Amino acid sequence: MQPSKLGTGVGAPMRRVEDGRFLRGRGRYVDDMPAADAARMVLLRSPYPHARLLRVDAMAARAMPGVLLVLTAADITELGVLRCVTPRHRRDGQPLTQTPWRMLAGDTVRYVGDPVACVVAETLAQAQDAAEAIAVDYAPLPAVTASIEAAAPDAPELWPGLIPGNESFLFRLGDAAAVERAMAQAAHVVRLPFRVTRVSANPLEPRNLLASYDAAEERYTLVTGTQLPHVMRNEIAEFALGIPTNRLRIISPDVGAGFGMKESPFPEHVLALHAARLLHRPVRWTATRSESFLSDTHARDNDSLAELALSAEGDFLGLRVTTLCNLGAYLAWQGAVSSTNNVGGLAGVYRTPAICTEVRGIFTNTQPTAPYRGAGRPEAIYAIEQCIDLAAQEMGLDRVALRQRNLIQPGQMPFQTGLDYRYDSGDFPKNMAMALAAADWAGFAARRAESEARGRLRGIGIANAIESAGGPHRNPMEEAAEIRFDSGGSVTLLMGSHNHGQGHETVFRQIASERLGIPPERIRFICGDTETVTHGRGTIGSRSMMAGGGALVAAAARIVERGKRLAAHFLEASEADIEFAAGEFRVAGTDKGIGIEALAKRSYVPGALPKGEELGLSALLINRPGDATFPNGCHIAEVEIDPETGECTLLRYLVVDDVGTVINPLLLKGQIHGGVAQGFGQVFGENIIYQNGQLLTGSFADYPMPRASDFPPLSVLSNPQPTASNVLGVKGAGEAGTVGALPVLMSAVMDALRPHGVTWLDMPATPERVWRALNNEREARAT
């Protein structure tokens, strides 16, 4: 679609309207919400990765100045548990066993940071002092933090008698027999064991909350930054507090990023609500950054073996990937999602006829893992793209030509992959052609020579990325949109999809502006309040434009349909003669008309409408979009390595992306840039490390985050191939940058290292690890 004549409709590079208040310090985050008499909550957390709780004595803490309440597991037996909502099965075919993730540990702690007591006091300092005064006797138990070790037959069990062998689920997908035949017939089989490291989301705004209780209504309110307000309300009310959902209101104001980590309920939410009811006063809690490392869900943490079978000519015949997924100590709300829901991405953009995968979910004495930007998609593309690079190396083939040979062609759409997904649209060869030309792939040899002249190692990487967005695949979730005109003629959008950095306030206004012909600055936007917004599934999985945008378009169509009926009455014409364009209803062939806002205002005037016609102008629509979409693209990156220090520098990065219809190219680039930055962070440093069960990377001094200075200008080009699965033709963009960044950056690093004898290096490519790999190879050659 072309930009509307307002210059702010679909396709226009409209600047984010929300930035005006953010840049002036007028954002409303949780800690900005007023509550003059709020008490402060602190949690006492286990210093042991695995131990029996012999005694928790809070007597001294309860007597300390300012202390209002101390809770241990024995004090909250009426509270429920946090559950996993992802259906998976055990090895015997039975549904996976839920792990009782209670708000406070009772008889056993299972990771460093597992909460054992909750203190609420007048001030934060008083709560902290009281928490330190609680006496806890621990009996340490053997601990295991790596999934490979936890899956061993003699590993210490986290859930003896409940989860034998630490294995939560066994997930299989694909035709294993067909893959085995392909392996047997292949001229060459690439085998690549690899690790995708554990990471922490680290949003700019830590997890926080403000809980209150209205005794007159027996009703709770929780103000917290969450991606799924309505879903979280239902979970906490039904399964943790045991109350009807209408007795809990969740308000999610401005959110300083979520990245998937803020989609689920946590023990702190429930404890604060419970404390607020007991104390009849508001309760605040804000995680410190160190506490976030110990209490937020982590992500990724997979150990895999990928095997790619090829013919002598380089045709892909079969792909098999087996994975151990580290679930942590408990099953998180969507703990099984990342390792299983998006494994269809293993097919990539290629015609591999036979693919299968096996995933084992393993419990360890670490924090629970949950979705994080990409949620299994980067891991899948990492597997296939690294295998292709390795195959090209081992078979003496050009890695670009090898990819081109196996690409799905536009004329083959719709295309059923060899595993799970059915792609409906896309031009993968064009993505690659545009990227190769824009990145000057042909000129890389000269750039490499220039780097070598300065004593540097230069590498170039390429990766074709594709993902399922807006799913789950074949079963996409519903979303809600409401357009509400008030009696003054003004319009408000109430969206179930939540904005936490993506720019929803801007793009949903753009869509509404184009469909209703109202300037975006006259449109009010509301999200994130379960009291005001009727329903919402929320913002996860790059679904907002296809699901929320689709619901908004349908709601706008209902507004226009009813508006034509009202306009026919006001203009004394036949409804069939009423046209609508640019915000005005007109009688065809005449100059008689009425603007939509004026019509809305008149629709509330008693007696102005025909008898039996309801007053007002509004539309609420909860719809379920078509199938998941498949955004795709080609990433090319160049890095330079200092062999004396191992330091890697990103020199160039280019993306050609197909996200279907582009609603706002400016915001699209921002989403791609952000995703690439998070992929860069994981490739070049982010890595949660445990030793003897203790978290070693518990601060930004040990867990390096990417900085703006790490990046050259990132070039983003579009190759839009709209999908027919939703009315806007959009495919989703929120995770696309990360999906391609992990494989392409490691591809570039390995391209720089392979000429010097380094055949493989797992992420992260830190200076120490790169230097050691090069130095080990030098020493091996010297001997």
Side-chain angles (χ1 to χ4, degrees):
M1 293 182 179
Q2 296 298 317
S4 73
K5 64 182 181 181
L6 293 172
T8 54
V10 171
M14 180 177 166
R15 292 187 178 275
R16 293 187 359 150
V17 298
E18 50 265 60
D19 286 349
R21 69 175 189 275
F22 292 152
L23 293 172
R24 291 172 175 84
R26 295 172 184 165
R28 294 180 182 176
Y29 297 91
V30 173
D31 284 348
D32 296 317
M33 306 300 280
D37 61 339
R40 299 301 295 265
M41 184 176 81
V42 167
L43 291 162
L44 177 65
R45 301 183 182 278
S46 168
Y48 291 92
H50 199 192
R52 293 287 181 198
L53 281 173
L54 303 179
R55 180 179 68 106
V56 181
D57 185 352
M59 184 179 299
R62 290 187 173 107
M64 293 180 70
V67 173
L68 304 171
L69 180 69
V70 179
L71 298 173
T72 66
D75 303 313
I76 57 170
T77 54
E78 70 270 37
L79 296 181
V81 299
L82 301 181
R83 65 182 190 133
C84 174
V85 298
T86 309
R88 289 292 173 261
H89 294 84
R90 302 187 315 230
R91 184 174 291 270
D92 61 6
Q94 295 299 308
L96 61 74
T97 303
Q98 294 280 347
T99 51
W101 190 3
R102 304 189 184 280
M103 309 311 142
L104 294 171
D107 57 355
T108 305
V109 292
R110 292 178 172 87
Y111 67 93
V112 172
D114 210 353
V116 299
C118 168
V119 177
V120 183
E122 295 285 356
T123 69
L124 178 60
Q126 289 171 331
Q128 290 171 332
D129 288 344
E132 292 179 2
I134 297 174
V136 183
D137 291 338
Y138 297 92
L141 296 169
V144 59
T145 56
S147 56
I148 291 177
E149 297 171 2
D154 58 346
E157 289 192 346
L158 274 75
W159 299 96
L162 184 66
I163 311 289
N166 294 323
E167 184 179 275
S168 172
F169 63 82
L170 176 65
F171 177 85
R172 292 188 174 116
L173 187 67
D175 190 336
V179 173
E180 188 60 39
R181 290 193 296 271
M183 297 285 174
Q185 297 166 4
H188 188 82
V189 177
V190 169
R191 291 181 172 85
L192 176 65
F194 67 94
R195 172 163 172 75
V196 177
T197 49
R198 174 178 282 235
V199 293
S200 177
N202 293 324
L204 189 61
E205 180 190 27
R207 285 193 302 119
N208 50 13
L209 60 86
L210 171 63
S212 58
Y213 181 75
D214 185 334
E217 285 197 59
E218 297 183 332
R219 197 158 185 262
Y220 300 83
T221 298
L222 177 65
V223 182
T224 189
T226 175
Q227 300 168 228
L228 313 178
H230 293 82
V231 176
M232 184 183 286
R233 175 200 62 187
N234 296 352
E235 282 293 317
I236 292 176
E238 293 182 44
F239 299 100
L241 295 176
I243 59 174
T245 54
N246 63 5
R247 286 181 54 197
L248 174 60
R249 177 187 185 184
I250 288 188
I251 301 171
S252 185
D254 290 330
V255 178
F259 307 132
M261 186 272 291
K262 290 182 182 176
E263 70 180 29
S264 58
F266 283 86
E268 293 87 358
H269 296 130
V270 182
L271 289 168
L273 289 166
H274 185 64
R277 183 180 68 82
L278 294 177
L279 296 172
H280 292 278
R281 63 185 290 184
V283 173
R284 281 194 186 276
W285 173 78
T286 299
T288 65
R289 187 60 69 182
S290 296
E291 189 176 20
S292 293
F293 275 104
L294 289 171
S295 65
D296 293 352
T297 51
H298 291 163
R300 316 266 201 245
D301 200 347
N302 297 330
D303 292 280
S304 301
L305 172 66
E307 301 168 280
L308 178 63
L310 303 95
S311 71
E313 296 76 24
D315 295 320
F316 298 167
L317 304 177
L319 174 68
R320 177 168 56 209
V321 180
T322 56
T323 296
L324 287 179
C325 166
N326 192 332
L327 298 171
Y330 303 90
L331 277 169
W333 184 66
Q334 293 209 70
V337 161
S338 296
S339 62
T340 58
N341 278 30
N342 295 302
V343 292
L346 289 169
V349 296
Y350 307 106
R351 299 188 305 271
T352 314
I355 309 173
C356 71
T357 184
E358 177 183 288
V359 181
R360 296 172 62 196
I362 305 297
F363 288 111
T364 67
N365 295 111
T366 63
Q367 283 163 246
T369 54
Y372 168 68
R373 197 171 194 167
R377 303 168 182 87
E379 297 94 312
I381 299 303
Y382 190 87
I384 180 61
E385 291 296 313
Q386 297 301 331
C387 278
I388 296 172
D389 278 359
L390 191 57
Q393 176 75 16
E394 292 180 358
M395 298 177 69
L397 301 174
D398 179 81
R399 55 193 163 137
V400 169
L402 184 58
R403 286 175 167 84
Q404 290 170 331
R405 181 182 184 90
N406 288 279
L407 283 177
I408 300 164
Q409 299 300 307
Q412 295 176 298
M413 296 292 181
F415 185 88
Q416 177 62 54
T417 70
L419 187 57
D420 184 33
Y421 295 157
R422 186 175 186 268
Y423 304 150
D424 72 306
S425 64
D427 191 340
F428 310 143
K430 185 177 179 181
N431 287 344
M432 269 193 73
M434 288 177 62
L436 291 168
D440 186 22
W441 184 275
F444 173 71
R447 296 193 294 277
R448 170 175 268 176
E450 187 274 332
S451 293
E452 289 176 351
R454 293 184 286 103
R456 300 292 191 266
L457 315 180
R458 191 169 184 135
I460 189 168
I462 184 168
N464 289 314
I466 191 166
E467 55 171 316
S468 173
H473 182 43
R474 299 192 185 96
N475 188 30
M477 298 174 289
E478 84 289 347
E479 193 49 87
E482 182 177 0
I483 302 173
R484 185 187 299 169
F485 284 88
D486 59 37
S487 58
S490 298
V491 64
T492 299
L493 303 184
L494 299 100
M495 301 298 300
S497 178
H498 193 279
N499 180 29
H500 45 272
Q502 296 88 343
H504 290 180
E505 295 181 38
T506 302
V507 292
F508 283 130
R509 280 186 173 100
Q510 287 183 258
I511 295 170
S513 173
E514 178 165 280
R515 297 285 169 160
L516 301 176
I518 300 173
E521 63 270 16
R522 295 220 295 264
I523 300 172
R524 189 180 178 215
F525 176 89
I526 295 176
C527 72
D529 186 342
T530 61
E531 185 92 327
T532 308
V533 180
T534 302
H535 178 72
R537 178 60 65 171
T539 301
I540 51 172
S542 303
R543 65 184 302 271
S544 291
M545 285 305 102
M546 62 172 284
L552 178 56
V553 167
R558 287 188 181 179
I559 291 286
V560 171
E561 181 183 8
R562 173 166 161 75
K564 286 182 176 180
R565 186 164 69 251
L566 299 183
H569 170 73
F570 293 138
L571 300 174
E572 299 179 332
S574 168
E575 185 177 342
D577 292 332
I578 301 297
E579 299 175 338
F580 179 74
E584 188 172 17
F585 296 94
R586 301 188 65 84
V587 179
T590 75
D591 60 356
K592 294 175 63 177
I594 182 172
I596 190 171
E597 292 168 293
L599 179 141
K601 187 174 183 179
R602 290 185 66 180
S603 74
Y604 281 93
V605 177
L609 299 183
K611 186 176 181 180
E613 185 75 55
E614 66 180 47
L615 271 66
L617 184 62
S618 63
L620 167 64
L621 193 127
I622 303 173
N623 81 336
R624 189 174 175 178
D627 199 0
T629 64
F630 297 96
N632 57 87
C634 182
H635 296 232
I636 295 179
E638 289 186 38
V639 301
E640 192 175 71
I641 298 174
D642 182 346
E644 298 304 316
T645 65
E647 183 179 8
C648 299
T649 302
L650 179 61
L651 301 177
R652 296 155 68 106
Y653 199 106
L654 176 134
V655 185
V656 175
D657 247 311
D658 166 21
V659 298
T661 301
V662 177
I663 305 294
N664 185 317
L666 195 63
L667 270 63
L668 168 62
K669 289 183 179 181
Q671 285 292 291
I672 300 298
H673 287 183
V676 168
Q678 287 184 284
F680 175 98
Q682 182 165 9
V683 167
F684 290 111
E686 293 187 52
N687 186 17
I688 291 289
I689 299 173
Y690 289 91
Q691 183 174 328
N692 299 325
Q694 295 294 323
L695 179 66
L696 297 187
T697 49
S699 75
F700 289 153
D702 311 296
Y703 187 95
M705 295 287 283
R707 296 180 171 90
S709 58
D710 293 326
F711 297 93
L714 306 180
S715 180
V716 179
L717 307 178
S718 285
N719 176 28
Q721 307 289 322
T723 177
S725 69
N726 62 76
V727 67
L728 287 169
V730 295
K731 293 184 178 178
E735 291 157 296
T738 308
V739 174
L742 262 67
V744 77
L745 290 168
M746 281 306 298
S747 174
V749 169
M750 291 310 305
D751 185 57
L753 295 179
R754 279 196 179 104
H756 302 272
V758 180
T759 57
W760 181 249
L761 179 69
D762 268 324
M763 66 177 77
T766 60
E768 186 269 340
R769 287 169 57 82
V770 172
W771 177 86
R772 194 171 296 280
L774 285 168
N775 198 56
N776 288 345
E777 182 58 31
R778 291 192 200 102
E779 291 179 354
R781 289 182 179 182
T783 58

